[in-house]
Amino acid sequence: MNSYGSFIFALISLKMAYVATGVILTCPDGWSAWDTSCYRFYNNPKSTWDGAQAHCNRYSVSTAHSRHVAHLVNVDSSQEQNFILSWWKTMRTNYDNEYEVVWLGLNDKSKEGRFDGTDGCPPKFTFWDVNEPNNLRGEDCASIWNTHENHDNGAWNDSPCTDQYAFICEINF
Ligand SMILES: [Ca+2]
Ligand SMILES: [Ca+2]
């Protein structure tokens, strides 16, 4: 990965509007809002899992009480999965009817077979493809892979962490 420098977004750039029922979030330029998170898709250059996570970690948003550091996306519900899939499909450019892959913030590097999110906690939701995760080639990092076989349905696979794929960063609030 190239050096991207550090991007700290000031609170004012968030343009957070408060309503009676809670917070309506408007994300920094280039980021998309859903629920209480901001997301950004990176496709060029593609990256290893560690490189992708390091790239995400360069972004943060500071609010009055805390600093929210971006990380590879943790998909916590079927609703978030549906949002991510439809949003990603609007941006990807090279789906070739074979497969396209995007890293998720989930791996079993610390203990084979036990997948943890980037927060170190077990996932609240999973959407593994048929017969996945299979650790086929010593695969420890989770991805969405859209293939002919799974009808582009956004199912998850474990892949070698050194493979280079597109990725999605998330900032939680
Ligand atoms: Ca594994
Ligand atoms: Ca696999």
Side-chain angles (χ1 to χ4, degrees), residues 40-168:
R40 188 161 179 173
F41 173 63
Y42 292 93
N43 189 44
N44 186 20
K46 299 182 192 310
S47 180
T48 65
W49 192 95
D50 283 344
Q53 173 72 347
H55 181 69
C56 293
N57 288 163
R58 293 191 179 100
Y59 295 84
S60 66
V61 171
S62 294
T63 55
H65 301 293
S66 54
R67 182 166 167 258
H68 305 265
V69 179
H71 50 79
L72 282 171
V73 60
N74 289 318
V75 179
D76 296 326
S77 65
S78 59
Q79 290 84 0
E80 187 173 11
Q81 166 78 15
N82 291 340
F83 163 75
I84 290 293
L85 187 61
S86 58
W87 170 77
W88 170 40
K89 284 182 176 180
T90 66
M91 287 176 298
R92 62 186 192 178
T93 55
N94 62 343
Y95 180 63
D96 60 3
N97 224 18
E98 283 293 327
Y99 65 87
E100 187 166 322
V101 184
V102 65
W103 286 128
L104 296 171
L106 189 68
N107 69 67
D108 72 339
K109 291 197 281 189
S110 64
K111 187 176 192 306
E112 178 54 39
R114 191 197 69 201
F115 281 84
D116 291 321
T118 57
D119 55 3
C121 297
K124 300 182 183 76
F125 167 85
T126 58
F127 191 57
W128 295 114
D129 206 345
V130 177
N131 298 324
E132 303 292 348
N134 60 3
N135 199 43
L136 185 62
R137 295 174 287 156
E139 300 169 324
D140 292 344
C141 289
S143 59
I144 291 174
W145 70 341
N146 282 353
T147 69
H148 232 12
E149 288 71 27
N150 70 21
H151 305 292
D152 205 19
N153 73 352
W156 301 4
N157 175 36
D158 56 342
S159 303
C161 300
T162 50
D163 281 1
Q164 301 206 15
Y165 297 129
F167 54 98
I168 294 168

